[in-house]
Amino acid sequence: MKKSAVRSLCFGAMVAAVYAALTMALPMLSYSAVQIRFSEALTVLPFFFPEAIPGLFLGCAIANLLSAYGMVDVVFGSLATLLAALWTSKMKNPWLAPLPPVLCNLVIIGGEIAWLEVGFGEGFLTAWALNGLTVGLGELAACYILGMLLLMALPRIPFFRKLIPASRLALAPGKRWFGAGETL
């Protein structure tokens, strides 16, 4: 196995472990209808590191094994994270990188919770809108506050900086974030 393949595999495994551990460490915030998963901040990683995509999917699947919504959440929650991670890896603007996880979870998880609460009958659209709003707001906080801080910090850490492709490093947000005149 090539060195880069091993590095990608290990990076993905670390992302999966951190995502699952962060989610499971705060169950009251992670598994409710009004949820703020701090682990969702990691969904911005594919902006710099596409190799994080399988780790995010696997970490979410592992974390969702503890969800009260059961296998439905394991499948649809993990697919929402996978779709968001794939979409994030294609973003050209770092300020838009947190948007795919917000939108995917708002639509998919909001719909999942609504379906589990009321089925597809009367009240589904109202439940979907309400659950989508609550999940979306939590996702917005996790991704746009914590996720953007992560996107700003990673290029400043020498270990990660040398792993970020030059084309993506040039797009790093907050080049002047930490001090006057300081650049990456």
Side-chain angles (χ1 to χ4, degrees), residues 68-142:
Y69 299 112
M71 287 307 293
V72 172
D73 202 24
V74 172
V75 173
F76 289 102
S78 304
L79 287 175
T81 298
L82 177 61
L83 178 62
L86 289 167
W87 189 4
T88 299
S89 73
K90 304 297 183 206
M91 299 304 279
K92 303 293 184 210
N93 183 327
W95 297 100
L96 296 178
L99 189 59
V102 173
L103 295 178
C104 288
N105 282 284
L106 183 149
V107 171
I108 297 170
I109 305 306
E112 170 194 322
I113 295 171
W115 176 69
L116 291 169
E117 287 177 350
V118 299
F120 283 123
E122 188 177 330
F124 173 76
L125 291 177
T126 303
W128 189 1
L130 179 62
N131 286 304
L133 178 66
T134 60
V135 169
L137 288 174
E139 196 73 12
L140 193 70

